[in-house]
Amino acid sequence: MNDDKPNSWQAVQQDIRRRITQREWAPGELIPHEADLAQEFGCARSTMNRALRGLADDGLLERKRKAGTRVALNPVRQVRVEIPVIREEIESKGNAFHYLLLRKELHVPPPDICARLQSDPNQPHLHIETLYTANQRPYVYEDRWINLNAVPQASDEAFDTLSPNEWLVRQVPFESGDFTFSAISATARIAEVLSCEPGQGLFVLDRTTRSKDHVLTTVRLTFHAGYQLRTEI
Amino acid sequence: MNDDKPNSWQAVQQDIRRRITQREWAPGELIPHEADLAQEFGCARSTMNRALRGLADDGLLERKRKAGTRVALNPVRQVRVEIPVIREEIESKGNAFHYLLLRKELHVPPPDICARLQSDPNQPHLHIETLYTANQRPYVYEDRWINLNAVPQASDEAFDTLSPNEWLVRQVPFESGDFTFSAISATARIAEVLSCEPGQGLFVLDRTTRSKDHVLTTVRLTFHAGYQLRTEI
DNA sequence: AAGTGGTCTAGACCACTCC
DNA sequence: GAGTGGTCTAGACCACTTA
């Protein structure tokens, strides 16, 4: 590491961070310009810039040209969350990973899914339901729709050796997407699939993936009871 | 913006990103070194470095000294999630924000909370329960413990003009923390507070905050039914 | 109009890691 | 030992924003 080197951007950043967290600079306060700070720390302005830019990315500082740099009033507005790759998440805990194809059908999606796929309301698409298990115990239930306008080759795929997710990642480049975290009460169907009580509160991750012109797929992952998504800052 | 400038790191990054998403470079493939790419793009190595470093931060590339840079096998492993600042989240939707102090007591925490606070199992701490409302409707229920070893002045605070969270942010510098997202089934108590059915699945955010030496506070936010946390990539 | 952050460059040295 | 990314520097110009 370079933390000991007094002029590394990490060392500089750490000291600036300390000044912020220890209230040496109060929230909302204007701090010295890059150039002055660089001189004070005896480093190049680019080094100071990198340190400050990082803190701004983390939400600790707010920077504006001409206006200068201020300590953010409300720190820590964002965290990075690792999106689990199911297979790895299960195997990294030393558990056996399997998946079970519960359904693979072509039919017309309900209206909400049609809207998400940005598709003609009468056009059929591929509907796939999968259960992923850890040591034979239900881990997460996946309810996926694949847009056949965007991924026509999906209808010929058996998904017997590769899970839908792994197959899609290899098949189709994607560019953007959105994620939604929420909670639901287990329906009778989901309770059966995940071996829990009906009504049980379950953690849910909805993901919609797009390429340049199309929505590729939309998927809802419903996790087993007690599942947690952790992160640190 | 500088996106049009052909030598801006953004422009370079965008083109590299395109090569990755469009499979011009396959997942797992070794890509040219910084120096070569810089020459190809006609930019300085530092510019290329910044572009590639950003893509590595996003999880699209994996870089190792001497080994070189590879396209990540499984892209998009992490997303940035905005941690809601309750007051702002409510007011930004044009709703009236209020909070209601349901409880403020000093007593010995249950064992799991003691563990989180890293505290003596017999020592009392400050327990605060708050309900935040949007247009008088329950929005989120906050169940908080404050470590009195770390924040002794909390016991004198009435929390009548400032919510516990806003007060703490102003009082105490903190350095790190962890976040956990999960789901629960509403207990009778929570159902009453949040005006929902017992057993209803609810989205939960647990947060523990530390300064250098102490755990400052641990809090569980239980959101109203139907709450979603969204993010995009 | 002027101040401040944002970025680019060219060159240098260093640190890590693979062979 | 050697190759590759990581970083620092000094200087320059630019873009955005406020006054």
Side-chain angles (χ1 to χ4, degrees):
Chain A
M1 287 301 172
N2 287 338
D3 300 353
D4 42 347
K5 290 204 172 182
N7 284 8
S8 71
W9 67 266
Q10 289 100 330
V12 170
Q13 188 179 71
Q14 191 174 334
D15 197 75
I16 303 275
R17 177 175 256 127
R18 184 191 55 74
R19 296 190 188 185
I20 298 169
T21 58
Q22 299 189 3
R23 295 282 193 276
E24 207 165 298
W25 289 328
E29 186 178 334
L30 201 61
I31 77 173
H33 346 236
E34 282 187 5
D36 290 354
L37 284 172
Q39 192 172 18
E40 181 193 334
F41 280 79
C43 67
R45 182 165 79 98
S46 7
T47 304
M48 183 54 69
N49 180 282
R50 173 138 188 210
L52 296 179
R53 179 159 35 86
L55 293 170
D57 283 346
D58 290 351
L60 285 181
L61 293 175
E62 287 170 1
R63 318 193 75 194
K64 260 192 238 172
R65 286 161 156 150
K66 164 77 176 181
T69 301
R70 290 179 181 283
V71 179
L73 283 171
N74 214 323
V76 189
R77 320 180 69 101
Q78 39 179 247
V79 293
R80 305 195 105 165
V81 176
E82 299 264 327
I83 295 298
V85 179
I86 307 295
R87 176 194 290 274
E88 291 177 12
E89 188 172 55
I90 291 175
E91 291 180 343
S92 73
K93 290 173 189 161
N95 294 322
F97 167 87
H98 288 99
Y99 72 90
L100 196 60
L101 202 58
L102 304 178
R103 176 210 293 255
K104 175 172 170 271
E105 279 178 13
L106 236 127
H107 55 104
V108 175
D112 60 321
I113 299 291
C114 272
R116 280 202 229 164
L117 291 179
Q118 296 173 356
S119 149
D120 184 323
N122 296 316
Q123 188 185 340
H125 289 289
L126 190 58
H127 186 199
I128 300 178
E129 292 178 25
T130 317
L131 178 68
Y132 297 85
T133 61
N135 283 350
Q136 323 299 331
R137 296 181 54 188
Y139 191 83
V140 60
Y141 160 70
E142 174 182 298
D143 186 357
R144 181 186 294 272
W145 289 86
I146 298 180
N147 184 345
L148 288 180
N149 295 329
V151 199
Q153 67 268 38
S155 49
D156 302 326
E157 175 64 30
F159 299 111
D160 48 1
T161 61
L162 224 48
S163 74
N165 184 51
E166 292 171 306
W167 181 84
L168 272 166
V169 165
R170 278 164 183 69
Q171 282 294 308
V172 197
F174 75 97
E175 292 189 340
S176 66
D178 59 57
F179 294 77
T180 304
F181 304 97
S182 60
I184 58 159
S185 300
T187 62
R189 171 100 208 289
I190 288 180
E192 193 192 330
V193 171
L194 285 179
S195 306
C196 70
E197 295 299 312
Q200 169 77 47
L202 299 174
F203 185 74
V204 163
L205 169 56
D206 288 292
R207 184 187 332 189
T208 300
T209 310
R210 297 179 197 77
S211 68
K212 193 177 180 186
D213 304 315
H214 287 290
V215 173
L216 299 176
T217 183
T218 183
V219 60
R220 162 166 286 201
L221 297 175
T222 307
F223 289 84
H224 68 271
Y227 179 83
Q228 297 185 327
L229 197 59
R230 284 194 74 250
T231 188
E232 299 192 358
I233 55 168
Chain B
M1 287 300 172
N2 288 338
D3 300 352
D4 43 348
K5 290 203 174 183
N7 285 6
S8 70
W9 67 266
Q10 288 100 330
V12 171
Q13 187 178 73
Q14 190 173 337
D15 197 75
I16 303 274
R17 177 174 256 128
R18 184 192 56 74
R19 296 190 188 186
I20 298 169
T21 58
Q22 298 189 3
R23 297 282 193 276
E24 208 165 297
W25 289 328
E29 185 178 334
L30 202 60
I31 76 174
H33 341 197
E34 282 187 4
D36 290 353
L37 283 172
Q39 192 172 17
E40 181 193 335
F41 280 79
C43 67
R45 183 166 78 99
S46 5
T47 304
M48 183 56 66
N49 181 282
R50 173 139 187 209
L52 295 180
R53 180 160 34 87
L55 293 171
D57 283 346
D58 289 351
L60 285 181
L61 292 176
E62 287 170 3
R63 318 193 76 195
K64 256 192 240 171
R65 286 162 156 148
K66 165 77 177 179
T69 301
R70 291 180 180 282
V71 178
L73 282 172
N74 214 323
V76 189
R77 321 180 70 103
Q78 38 178 249
V79 294
R80 302 194 90 142
V81 177
E82 298 263 328
I83 295 298
V85 180
I86 305 295
R87 177 193 288 275
E88 292 177 11
E89 187 172 55
I90 290 175
E91 291 180 342
S92 72
K93 292 174 188 161
N95 295 321
F97 167 86
H98 288 101
Y99 72 89
L100 196 61
L101 202 59
L102 303 179
R103 176 210 293 254
K104 175 173 170 272
E105 279 180 12
L106 237 127
H107 55 106
V108 174
D112 59 324
I113 300 291
C114 271
R116 281 203 230 164
L117 291 178
Q118 297 173 354
S119 150
D120 186 322
N122 296 318
Q123 189 185 341
H125 291 287
L126 191 57
H127 185 200
I128 300 179
E129 292 177 25
T130 317
L131 178 68
Y132 298 85
T133 61
N135 283 349
Q136 323 299 332
R137 296 181 53 188
Y139 191 83
V140 60
Y141 160 71
E142 174 182 298
D143 186 356
R144 181 186 293 273
W145 289 86
I146 297 179
N147 184 345
L148 287 180
N149 295 329
V151 199
Q153 67 268 39
S155 49
D156 302 326
E157 174 63 31
F159 298 111
D160 47 1
T161 59
L162 225 47
S163 72
N165 184 53
E166 291 172 306
W167 181 84
L168 272 166
V169 165
R170 277 164 182 68
Q171 284 293 309
V172 198
F174 76 97
E175 291 188 342
S176 65
D178 59 57
F179 294 77
T180 304
F181 304 97
S182 60
I184 59 157
S185 300
T187 61
R189 171 100 208 290
I190 288 179
E192 193 190 331
V193 171
L194 285 179
S195 306
C196 69
E197 296 299 313
Q200 169 76 48
L202 300 174
F203 184 74
V204 162
L205 169 56
D206 288 291
R207 184 187 331 188
T208 299
T209 309
R210 297 179 196 75
S211 68
K212 193 177 178 185
D213 304 316
H214 286 291
V215 173
L216 300 176
T217 182
T218 182
V219 59
R220 163 167 285 201
L221 298 175
T222 306
F223 289 85
H224 68 271
Y227 180 83
Q228 297 185 328
L229 197 59
R230 284 193 74 251
T231 188
E232 299 191 359
I233 55 167

